[in-house]
Amino acid sequence: MIQVLFVCLGNICRSPMAEAVFRHQVKEAGLDAVIAIDSAGTGDWHIGHPPHQGTRDILDQYQIKHEGLKARQVRSDDFIQYTYIIAMDASNVTNLASFAPDFVEGEKRATIHKLLDFAPDRSIKDVPDPYYTGNFQEVYEMVEESCERLLAFIIEKEKL
């Protein structure tokens, strides 16, 4: 099973949006039996909370299921359990380092990417946080495009 973890700061806006969008795309591609998806935050402020209302509203607008999503914090075992960890911005990548366990040589570990690495034609490299900007539509468009390209990348790399 290929496992993908999306990460942002609080796990209530960007990463649960990416989780829901990517889960939808994976299901549409008929790969939901081989790709598992989750999300987490580097912060602990929202643990157990559902996605932000703005995230839920935009997902509802595009008829993407989000029921049951609850915020959680990144754990050190995520680096071993997941195949890919996809961060929303550079600060998330930096913050992930504080959760990473020490690895034994030969031990499987996740590869870490920024989501917008999969949208190289975009002028910005970090997904802005709509918790602060309020621009859930702009973030949705970035997430949808980048997730499509992420899925294509995984299909090619994993030979699916």
Side-chain angles (χ1 to χ4, degrees), residues 127-144:
V127 178
D129 193 341
Y131 185 84
Y132 301 106
T133 68
N135 199 341
F136 289 89
Q137 180 65 44
E138 174 189 36
V139 170
Y140 175 83
E141 290 167 10
M142 289 177 187
V143 165
E144 185 203 23

Side-chain angles (χ1 to χ4, degrees), residues 84-135:
Y84 301 96
I85 296 177
I86 310 297
M88 297 298 119
D89 62 37
S91 69
N92 301 148
V93 173
T94 300
N95 291 339
L96 280 166
S98 67
F99 294 94
D102 292 330
F103 286 97
V104 175
E105 188 174 329
E107 186 173 45
K108 177 191 138 200
R109 70 171 80 178
T111 58
I112 299 171
H113 303 270
K114 286 194 311 179
L115 183 61
L116 291 185
D117 289 348
F118 298 96
D121 48 328
R122 287 198 173 263
S123 60
I124 64 170
K125 300 302 171 198
D126 292 330
V127 178
D129 193 341
Y131 185 84
Y132 301 106
T133 68
N135 199 341

Side-chain angles (χ1 to χ4, degrees), residues 4-8 11-29 32 35-40 50-52 54-70 86 88 115 139-140 143-148 150-151:
V4 179
L5 179 67
F6 292 97
V7 175
C8 70
N11 193 215
I12 60 167
C13 293
R14 297 172 293 172
S15 58
M17 183 186 297
E19 175 186 356
V21 167
F22 195 63
R23 182 173 283 129
H24 178 80
Q25 292 173 351
V26 165
K27 184 174 182 170
E28 295 259 309
D32 48 328
I35 301 176
I37 303 118
D38 195 7
S39 64
H52 185 283
T55 295
R56 288 181 281 162
D57 289 346
I58 199 79
L59 292 172
D60 288 344
Q61 179 182 331
Y62 289 96
Q63 300 177 342
I64 296 175
K65 295 180 182 181
H66 56 80
E67 295 76 18
L69 296 182
K70 298 282 185 215
I86 310 297
M88 297 298 119
L115 183 61
V139 170
Y140 175 83
V143 165
E144 185 203 23
E145 174 190 2
S146 299
C147 282
E148 284 177 4
L150 170 62
L151 181 56

